[in-house]
Amino acid sequence: MASRLSRRAMRLSPSPTLALDAKTKDMQRQGIDVINFGIGEPDFDTPSHIKDAAVQAIQKGFTKYTPASGIPELKEAICKKLADDNGLQYEPSQIVVSVGAKQAIYNAVQVLCDEGDEVVVPAPYWVSYTEIVKLAGGEPVEVPGEESAGFKMTAAQFEAAVTSKTKILMLNSPNNPSGAVFDEAELRAIGEVCARRGIYIISDEVYEKLVFGGNKHVSIARANPSVKDLTVVVNGVSKTFAMTGWRIGYAAGPRDIIKAMGDLQGQVTSNPTSISQKASVAALLGPREPVEDMVREFGKRRDYVVRRFNSMPDVTCGEPGGAFYAFPNISGFFGRRAASGDVLKDSAALSGAILRDARVSVVPGSAFGMEGYVRVSYATSMANLEKGLDRIEAFLANLA
Ligand code: GLU
């Protein structure tokens, strides 16, 4: 008998970050005191001038369909942002506004990737890349970065993974979950391989503003201008302006690719919310102080979390250059036993036991294609970080 679900649906895994967040919130609703280090979502409120723009949009009746690919005013604000912040020149016809950066990535993969095409995905990678590639019929080719190289795939590693079927490179800097930030020279070298082999790049730059210390975000389309015409730059307002729930992301790139992405969107979702689009104009054109304040606070938390992990016996934690995640190596605990008697054989088992026994949610490294680590989001208050890290420390110390 034919299966009820399509083969596509049967191959699909649910998003582990969203599943863990739902489980954590469910436990909290039941009155269980769980600390959420699972989800990557700024804990700050959306700045008030952005909310005011949304209220005004509602009051003025800006509540109808907009062009599927976004309002001209927002596309112009995005062009200005890309020119001012990233040194990249685009016309509004090269911009598509989507329901979060996630939809922009999905659309880009759908319009670029044919059945059987290979897509290079440097690991560790954000959980949805590989599933999005599979939904398009593509084959994700994982290229693991070395911890000693800050988890960054080198141009040589990339080239070794390229075949005649390679169509796309999924690049993400600053990286979720490792926090790695590629510098200009590294991006130039990777871009050089793409230019020579005619490989398209989907460059997810959603954490661009969240960089610390001497780290600086550069777009690969700027670092190596010879790949600008092969690159779809993806970004959004969620992380920079604490606007995760508003669901506004965008892509900039060659006109034909962007047009196809807009056409696809017109058949699938229509426009992103009209009200959120107006709010995003205010975010992109408005004052940057709220962003700077958030980044300063994230920087303090990063230092604290990294210090705490490195002070725990058998844990090592590199210093992430950006985003708001720590990615400590916890492989030293594999094979030990939790209070329940369970042997902790991998990061999924360890994360499960941390949630059950220590009441802290963290995402296993295996969800990001890298075993031996867990991802800890420090996009939560310092008080929560102290409490959650105390619990993890006590939990690890008690493993037999
Ligand atoms: N990007 C965030 C995270 O990794 C949001 C959740 C998701 O969409 O995966 O936690």
Side-chain angles (χ1 to χ4, degrees), residues 150-152 173-182 207-217 295 298-299 302-303 306 317-327 378:
F151 299 103
K152 288 190 267 190
S173 177
N175 178 272
N176 173 7
S178 72
V181 181
F182 285 77
Y207 294 97
E208 70 159 334
K209 296 293 174 210
L210 308 178
V211 285
F212 313 109
N215 290 284
K216 208 171 147 272
H217 167 76
V295 175
F298 280 134
R302 174 195 73 151
D303 295 347
V306 169
C317 185
E319 188 173 72
F324 38 53
Y325 307 106
F327 200 53
Y378 54 82

Side-chain angles (χ1 to χ4, degrees), residues 159-190:
E159 183 130 40
V162 170
T163 72
S164 58
K165 290 188 186 162
T166 308
K167 179 85 186 271
I168 307 171
L169 164 66
M170 295 290 311
L171 197 67
N172 175 216
S173 177
N175 178 272
N176 173 7
S178 72
V181 181
F182 285 77
D183 68 26
E184 206 166 335
E186 292 162 339
L187 293 171
R188 205 177 308 121
I190 290 171

Side-chain angles (χ1 to χ4, degrees), residues 15 17-18 38-41 102 126-128 176 207 239 325 368 375:
S15 161
T17 44
L18 297 188
I39 193 71
E41 168 169 71
K102 191 181 266 184
W126 178 51
V127 296
S128 292
N176 173 7
Y207 294 97
K239 306 299 191 313
Y325 307 106
F368 307 97
R375 188 190 78 173

Side-chain angles (χ1 to χ4, degrees), residues 27-164:
M27 289 169 80
Q28 287 170 335
R29 258 192 303 274
Q30 289 169 42
I32 304 169
D33 168 28
V34 191
I35 308 266
N36 193 349
F37 292 167
I39 193 71
E41 168 169 71
D43 54 313
F44 302 103
D45 197 5
T46 304
S48 53
H49 69 279
I50 299 174
K51 291 188 192 171
D52 292 345
V55 171
Q56 264 184 33
I58 295 172
Q59 282 170 344
K60 287 187 179 158
F62 195 75
T63 52
K64 302 282 167 44
Y65 288 137
T66 76
S69 63
I71 54 174
E73 190 187 354
L74 179 53
K75 290 185 185 179
E76 275 158 26
I78 291 166
C79 289
K80 180 170 166 21
K81 179 256 173 249
L82 290 166
D84 293 353
D85 295 4
N86 309 106
L88 293 170
Q89 308 301 325
Y90 291 101
E91 302 279 318
S93 61
Q94 296 179 279
I95 307 293
V96 56
V97 184
S98 299
V99 183
K102 191 181 266 184
Q103 191 189 19
I105 294 165
Y106 179 86
N107 288 346
V109 173
Q110 281 287 326
V111 307
L112 284 172
C113 183
D114 271 317
E115 200 78 27
D117 283 344
E118 290 179 358
V119 179
V120 171
V121 184
Y125 52 77
W126 178 51
V127 296
S128 292
Y129 295 152
T130 44
E131 293 305 314
I132 286 173
V133 169
K134 286 192 243 163
L135 281 169
E139 295 296 331
V141 175
E142 299 180 20
V143 179
E146 300 289 333
E147 183 178 348
S148 58
F151 299 103
K152 288 190 267 190
M153 178 188 75
T154 63
Q157 284 176 310
F158 172 41
E159 183 130 40
V162 170
T163 72
S164 58

